């Protein structure tokens, strides 16, 4: 029962203007028109056209977005109207969460819905207090004796919010042979909850491992005829990617559409979710206006024809990393960095000669503007664009927070370029590294560490010396999401790369190093992802060196990796599904709430 | 009969919204609202507030403009409507200029009006062809025998357009003692033309020197009763500042108001002049939106409270340097540089200690981003802001013209900072340099050379090696306008500075070095200005190493200096007159043409 990851319930035609039936004036977000297809403009003589000797080319898909956004006015009066309305609705939901007389399961399901509908960030302290009440009054112990659904739901919510709860909570639902009770399967909702809870497992929690196997095997046997359309869609949605590995925006748009079909849907919650989603979307549109204005001014994409132009996909990725409205700087910074990474990766991967790549890596390490004199023309432009952008991010931090962060930003870029250079050397020398050698370098070349270092300085208000030292040493909070980034990326491109005889991929290295088949190697890589996720879950259970906002941002990088590479490489080769997702997250407001 | 330099014929109240009687939709420029008064925002903790030891302060007037422009949409649909209308009107005027049957004096007066009304840039080649026709057909020789007005008018127009014409053309209007004929005074219009022509003199042209003395003495004796209001206003306007020393925009707005009162005014020409003026104004508004967006992002003015924030005045200055619509890059670059110069001048002049100033100068010379580690906090921010802005200008040039101009830009800044440092040393050591020592440094510290080097790279499309070498050596095209910039600036501030006992001024140095009174020293400085203008006129007579657009830009810098410092220092202490000028050039469209 394989369906699309994002089964939107609205007809989308790709060449239409973005607002099908224009929203009523009050709720209409600031209009941003995205024409979906454009060809890369060739009117400027690009550096690469004057090249004579043959250069490799990857024939990437051109950028599919038209940067000539209709730049609507920067001042969003419409937002103010919604803010007042949202405030009133928020107060009502807050009362419900803080209602101490509410029955615990009702409260837990309300919290789950609030989070799935993308509103969790508005009620963090309320949810924390409610879960405190639930635990301190023995609520959790109570449910573990009565309902698998309540146990699994509360286990997941508590772990998500850093409560130390034991996997033993599920032992009560096992028979004497230690297997999960067969009769549990009659309650699909409970099995779904068990499935979602199992992804909060830590290393060595065998009960949760067994729970996952038990739940998956049962969910896969179900059919729409047996459980009905609504539940079947939920099962499908979960099996495609568990909640814990989904980005909040994609989950919100799916959940809102699913939730609005429920007869018993909480109308206040639904109205707030739609309003909030559209309000945040207009913040993204304002952010994207600024980022695309910057990218058009930089003009690298039109000058370096051989390289991928993926600004919109990079911005969409940055939304996944930091979706909350207050993190515009983080989205802007991450989108800029990923746009540069995409182009510079192509210089190392496809276009540059080894000598040129050595020069470029040296220039980034020295971080001396005069280095442009030693570079070939196409690299001069790329280096100076990168140089100016990084110095400007450092300037903003110095101006707003009084800290000179330039050394940390430039080191992150030097490490990334050295990782790219290592891969280029393997490629040029046709050498095949062991899995450990390859992966020890590849999680850095994923650009995960670079993105998270830039995200750290954008998200964290008061920088701490100890945190920076650990960032520099690539603390687990940096390395683990980057491991997942690399593994997901490699999984998505393994078959095509192996078919092309390319060796730089986790799966092919695994095959070579362990002497096993592609299928077995793929499975091993998937297990590696699972184990890394468990290690990462540890950071959430309190005691992390880093403040929560940055921990969540780091975990979001892993989530965005799962989503981007789940169906092929949506960044390198954006397909229809990717474009639908970008539209639904950035430009298409959700149809208005109707009582 | 002293009146304001800019005698506008429209009541201006300073706190009103900018459009008194809203223009009919068709002709309305893109609305830009400028609230005239704002206080510098103090909500950001500025570097300087945490300072403990006492620092000098100059208590400058705060910036008087509110940067919260209502950012109207970037897309100016209204411009397209005007462009078509302007094209039709332009074609009609072109026919008149190319009308080979036209009587020469009529043609010359048409050309003079076209230029005074600000339309010269639209008809340069047509005017050139018409003057060629006039000279090659013996027209000039003809008029020198008949009419002083026609002789003076044609002499001026021909020299303005690079024709080699001799001052001997005026010898026919002298008596046998070599004095100008007394009866010439009956024709005020002719005397006015003679006065304006005299400012096109080259060094050693005694006839033109005599013509100027003769004309001025006569014009000063005239009264409104004798010659009527209209002619009296023209005489006043000319005596305040000759046409050759006025910026084109200020002259255009004055001329349009004067011309629309003439019964015999050419209605097509008037309509085109008003339309063109308003169209160019909306280009300035778009430019200023971008420049003020940049300045707000840099945020130096709010962080360094001791320093002058003069972005708007700097942009207005840049309009004087390059008014034509196609030179947005030049205005943007010059406005940014003059805004930095204004703040950095205050660091050297007022706030910085000598040790700090040595560090800052060294950092600018090394142009190494790591230099920020050696600087005090307030300088870190200023240096990195400057560093990023200059590197970005270099990037744009590399991207658009393929040239790495960074070395020339950084040298210009190093030279300026060294000139500032020299003045700071004289101040700290309380030493009083000779006029030559002072002036040899002061024309560089004016920032004239720096501005013109940035203007060169913005205006010139194809950079030539020989031109750049000469720029680097500060060719006359750079030094002479800078001499005028410094002399005009010093003249404007001499009395106040002498009263405060400050010694760094051309007038006080001249007094000390020559042992003469302030009055005599002032006169000597004015003569120095006249002599430098004569040398500068040489560049216009063809044979200049540099292309015409840059020659005009350089001369415009001198013109803007005359206008800015004619009534005190309008940049440091902008008064009502300055604000009126800024409004009339940048934000107030001229009232629409009515048949």
């Amino acid at each position: 029962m394989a369906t699309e990851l994002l089964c939107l319930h609205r007809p989308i035609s790709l060449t239409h203007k973005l607002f099908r039936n224009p929203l009523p004036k009050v709720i209409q977000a600031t209009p941003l028109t995205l024409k979906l297809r454009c060809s890369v403009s060739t009117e400027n003589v690009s550096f690469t056209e004057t090249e004579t000797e043959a250069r490799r080319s990857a024939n990437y898909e051109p950028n599919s977005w038209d940067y000539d956004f209709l730049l609507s006015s920067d001042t969003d009066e419409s937002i103010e109207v919604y803010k007042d309305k949202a405030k009133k609705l928020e107060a009502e939901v807050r009362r419900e969460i803080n209602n101490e007389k509410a029955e615990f399961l009702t409260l837990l399901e309300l919290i789950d819905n609030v989070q799935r509908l993308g509103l969790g960030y508005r009620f963090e302290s309320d949810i924390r207090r409610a879960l405190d009440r639930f635990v301190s009054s023995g609520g959790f112990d109570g449910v573990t004796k009565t309902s698998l659904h309540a146990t699994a739901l509360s286990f997941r919510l508590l772990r998500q919010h850093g409560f130390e709860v034991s996997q033993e909570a599920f032992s009560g639902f096992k028979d004497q042979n230690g297997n999960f009770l067969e009769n549990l399967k009659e309650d699909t909702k409970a099995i779904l909850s068990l499935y979602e809870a199992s992804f909060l497992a830590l290393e060595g929690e065998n009960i949760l491992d067994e729970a996952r196997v038990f739940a998956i095997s049962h969910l896969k046997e179900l059919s729409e005829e047996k459980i009905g359309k609504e539940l079947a869609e939920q099962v499908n949605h979960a099996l495609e990617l568990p909640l814990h590995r989904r980005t909040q925006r994609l989950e919100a748009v799916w959940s809102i559409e699913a939730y609005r079909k429920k007869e018993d849907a909480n109308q206040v919650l639904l109205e707030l979710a739609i309003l909030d989603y559209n309000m945040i979307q207009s913040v993204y549109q304002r952010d994207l206006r600024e980022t695309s204005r910057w990218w058009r001014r930089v003009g690298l994409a039109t000058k370096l024809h051989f390289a991928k132009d993926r600004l919109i996909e990079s911005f969409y990725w940055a939304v996944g990393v930091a979706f909350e409205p207050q993190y515009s700087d983080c989205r802007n910074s991450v989108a800029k960095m990923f746009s540069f990474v995409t182009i510079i990766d192509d210089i190392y991967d496809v276009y540059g000669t080894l000598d040129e790549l050595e020069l470029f890596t040296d220039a980034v390490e020295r971080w001396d503007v005069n280095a442009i004199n030693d570079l070939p023309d196409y690299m001069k432009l790329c280096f100076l664009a990168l140089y100016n952008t990084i110095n400007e991010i450092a300037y903003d931090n110095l101006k707003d927070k009084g800290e000179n962060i330039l050394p940390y930003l430039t080191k992150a870029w030097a490490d990334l370029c050295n990782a790219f250079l290592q891969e280029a050397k393997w490629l040029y020398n046709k050498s095949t590294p062991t899995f450990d050698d390859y992966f020890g370098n590849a999680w850095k070349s994923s650009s995960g560490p670079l993105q998270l270092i830039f995200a750290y300085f954008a998200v964290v208000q008061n920088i701490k010396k100890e945190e920076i030292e650990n960032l520099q040493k690539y603390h687990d909070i940096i390395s683990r999401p980057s491991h997942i980034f690399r593994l997901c990326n490699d999984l998505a491109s393994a078959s095509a790369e192996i078919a092309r005889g390319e060796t730089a991929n986790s799966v092919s290295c695994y095959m070579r190093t362990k002497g096993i088949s592609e299928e077995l190697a793929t499975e091993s890589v998937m297990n590696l992802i699972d184990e890394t996720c468990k290690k990462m879950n540890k950071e959430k259970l309190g005691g992390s060196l880093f403040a929560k906002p940055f921990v969540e941002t780091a975990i979001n990088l892993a989530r965005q990796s799962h989503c981007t590479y789940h169906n092929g490489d949506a960044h390198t080769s954006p397909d229809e599904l990717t474009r639908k997702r970008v539209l639904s997250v950035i430009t298409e407001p959700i149809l208005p709430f109707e009582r």
Side-chain angles (χ1 to χ4, degrees), chain A:
Chain A
M1 199 168 12
T3 56
E4 279 178 298
L5 175 63
L6 185 79
C7 39
L8 290 175
H9 299 270
R10 288 163 297 164
I12 300 259
S13 82
L14 291 182
T15 52
H16 77 304
K17 262 205 166 188
L18 281 163
F19 301 96
R20 287 157 316 293
N21 33 10
L23 296 168
K25 189 77 194 87
V26 161
I27 204 162
Q28 186 149 9
T30 311
L32 171 77
T33 314
L34 264 186
K35 291 190 210 84
L36 283 177
R37 176 147 303 285
C38 85
S39 63
V40 175
S41 96
T42 53
E43 124 269 305
N44 288 339
V45 169
S46 94
F47 283 91
T48 51
E49 268 152 32
T50 50
E51 299 286 275
T52 43
E53 92 285 347
R55 292 256 187 177
R56 296 193 318 132
S57 159
N59 298 322
Y60 290 120
E61 282 227 350
N63 156 47
S64 54
W65 307 99
D66 180 341
Y67 290 141
D68 278 325
F69 300 134
L70 171 67
L71 288 167
S72 62
S73 144
D74 277 349
T75 45
D76 300 343
E77 299 88 357
S78 45
I79 303 287
E80 295 317 315
V81 170
Y82 310 155
K83 274 187 187 161
D84 294 343
K85 175 76 183 166
K87 233 182 209 152
K88 289 178 194 121
L89 296 166
E90 186 180 288
E92 282 189 61
V93 173
R94 176 158 290 120
R95 267 193 301 279
E96 288 186 46
I97 297 173
N98 294 326
N99 171 10
E100 298 196 2
K101 293 192 196 88
E103 201 266 324
F104 274 131
L105 184 56
T106 315
L107 180 64
L108 293 168
E109 287 179 340
L110 171 64
I111 290 170
D112 191 33
N113 282 331
V114 161
Q115 293 184 169
R116 286 176 183 261
L117 293 167
L119 295 168
Y121 79 97
R122 283 181 179 259
F123 302 102
E124 257 184 51
S125 48
D126 308 288
I127 290 173
R128 179 81 206 188
R129 270 196 312 276
L131 294 176
D132 268 329
R133 234 176 29 247
F134 171 61
V135 170
S136 58
S137 64
F140 183 59
D141 300 335
V143 293
T144 56
K145 297 185 179 65
T146 55
S147 141
L148 175 63
H149 165 59
T151 303
L153 174 60
S154 49
F155 178 89
R156 173 165 59 83
L157 293 178
L158 290 169
R159 280 218 169 163
Q160 275 176 340
H161 288 271
F163 287 78
E164 304 236 355
V165 278
S166 159
Q167 62 162 354
E168 288 307 326
F170 294 100
S171 47
F173 300 97
K174 289 191 151 195
D175 60 24
Q176 66 282 18
N177 305 325
N179 299 319
F180 278 92
L181 296 163
E182 270 306 307
N183 65 6
L184 295 171
K185 291 183 176 179
E186 284 131 28
D187 180 351
T188 304
K189 198 173 156 188
I191 297 292
L192 257 179
S193 296
L194 181 65
Y195 167 82
E196 297 290 8
S198 73
F199 287 91
L200 274 299
L202 306 176
E203 285 180 287
E205 291 192 318
N206 56 314
I207 299 180
L208 289 171
D209 294 342
E210 291 151 23
R212 186 184 303 182
V213 172
F214 171 76
I216 289 176
S217 70
H218 176 59
L219 291 172
K220 284 191 168 174
E221 289 158 7
L222 296 172
S223 65
E224 193 169 311
E225 294 66 37
K226 199 176 162 212
I227 57 171
K229 189 167 187 296
E230 194 182 309
L231 201 49
E233 277 175 2
Q234 285 178 35
V235 168
N236 245 315
H237 182 65
L239 284 174
E240 188 141 39
L241 209 56
L243 184 60
H244 191 48
R245 294 187 183 181
R246 286 179 177 273
T247 53
Q248 291 85 348
R249 287 297 87 186
L250 275 184
E251 181 55 18
V253 69
W254 190 90
S255 296
I256 290 171
E257 293 302 333
Y259 192 71
R260 75 194 304 165
K261 282 181 278 175
K262 286 166 138 337
E263 263 104 38
D264 61 349
N266 178 328
Q267 295 302 301
V268 171
L269 189 59
L270 180 61
E271 184 173 3
L272 177 60
I274 294 172
L275 198 56
D276 178 79
Y277 189 88
N278 290 344
M279 280 167 69
I280 290 182
Q281 202 175 63
S282 58
V283 171
Y284 296 156
Q285 289 169 12
R286 189 203 57 204
D287 297 345
L288 186 51
R289 262 198 300 276
E290 195 195 319
T291 318
S292 56
R293 190 176 283 144
W294 162 79
W295 189 239
R296 278 205 305 191
R297 251 203 88 241
V298 169
L300 266 188
T302 44
K303 290 285 177 180
L304 308 183
H305 280 268
F306 61 86
K308 293 191 289 293
D309 174 6
R310 295 291 180 268
L311 174 76
I312 307 295
E313 289 80 3
S314 299
F315 180 80
Y316 167 71
W317 171 283
V319 168
V321 171
F323 84 92
E324 293 89 339
Q326 68 269 30
Y327 291 143
S328 288
D329 286 351
C330 186
R331 285 187 287 276
N332 191 294
S333 189
V334 169
K336 287 180 178 179
M337 289 311 105
F338 205 11
S339 301
F340 269 120
V341 165
T342 310
I343 285 195
I344 292 171
D345 187 25
D346 287 342
I347 290 179
Y348 279 86
D349 245 13
V350 177
Y351 197 79
T353 65
L354 202 53
D355 294 344
E356 289 171 349
L357 301 178
E358 300 268 11
L359 283 173
F360 191 86
T361 310
D362 175 61
V364 172
E365 279 183 324
R366 284 165 45 209
W367 207 253
D368 170 2
V369 73
N370 299 311
I372 51 177
N373 302 322
D374 316 326
L375 298 172
D377 280 352
Y378 78 98
M379 279 188 165
K380 275 190 188 7
L381 202 65
C382 185
F383 174 76
L384 192 52
L386 178 68
Y387 189 82
N388 288 348
T389 304
I390 305 306
N391 286 346
E392 202 157 286
I393 291 173
Y395 176 78
D396 288 338
N397 210 286
L398 182 65
K399 180 182 69 162
D400 299 334
K401 299 175 187 169
E403 291 282 341
N404 175 21
I405 62 171
L406 189 59
Y408 312 119
L409 307 184
T410 53
K411 178 184 179 293
W413 268 101
D415 289 351
L416 177 62
C417 288
N418 274 297
F420 281 159
L421 184 61
Q422 174 59 72
E423 287 175 351
K425 282 177 182 168
W426 281 330
L427 184 73
Y428 269 83
N429 307 329
K430 297 193 172 45
S431 50
T432 51
T434 65
F435 175 79
D436 288 344
D437 287 348
Y438 164 76
F439 191 69
N441 184 71
W443 66 267
K444 292 174 193 161
S445 71
S446 73
S447 81
L450 176 100
Q451 291 190 33
L452 288 177
I453 283 175
F454 278 80
Y456 171 81
F457 289 113
V459 163
V460 173
Q461 287 312 311
N462 309 310
I463 305 166
K464 293 191 195 98
K465 197 159 175 292
E466 194 195 1
E467 288 182 357
I468 293 190
E469 279 155 9
N470 275 278
L471 280 185
Q472 296 283 91
K473 290 181 251 163
Y474 291 154
H475 179 277
D476 294 342
I477 194 73
I478 298 273
S479 61
R480 287 177 180 153
S482 305
H483 286 194
I484 290 171
F485 185 173
R486 170 52 67 198
L487 292 170
C488 289
N489 187 342
D490 280 5
L491 265 186
S493 51
S495 301
E497 285 174 0
I498 291 168
R500 290 200 300 263
E502 288 167 28
T503 57
N505 184 293
S506 303
V507 176
S508 49
C509 286
Y510 223 101
M511 286 165 67
R512 238 185 358 266
T513 308
K514 308 276 182 187
I516 54 176
S517 69
E518 181 180 344
E519 205 193 337
L520 273 177
T522 301
E523 211 177 290
S524 307
V525 167
M526 291 170 106
N527 290 336
L528 210 50
I529 288 175
D530 282 343
E531 287 313 305
T532 310
C533 284
K534 289 175 185 174
K535 288 176 188 162
M536 224 170 43
N537 284 338
K538 190 94 184 70
E539 284 293 334
K540 276 182 81 68
L541 294 189
S544 169
L545 174 70
F546 294 88
K548 191 179 176 192
F550 180 62
V551 172
E552 280 305 314
T553 305
I555 292 173
N556 280 339
L557 184 97
R559 288 191 176 114
Q560 186 61 43
S561 306
H562 289 301
C563 292
T564 293
Y565 298 109
H566 183 73
N567 278 315
D569 181 347
H571 188 73
T572 301
S573 322
D575 54 10
E576 260 346 282
L577 179 63
T578 314
R579 278 189 270 276
K580 275 190 207 168
R581 286 183 184 169
V582 171
L583 288 176
S584 72
V585 167
I586 298 176
T587 65
E588 277 192 2
I590 291 180
L591 289 181
F593 172 75
E594 277 141 18
R595 284 206 185 275

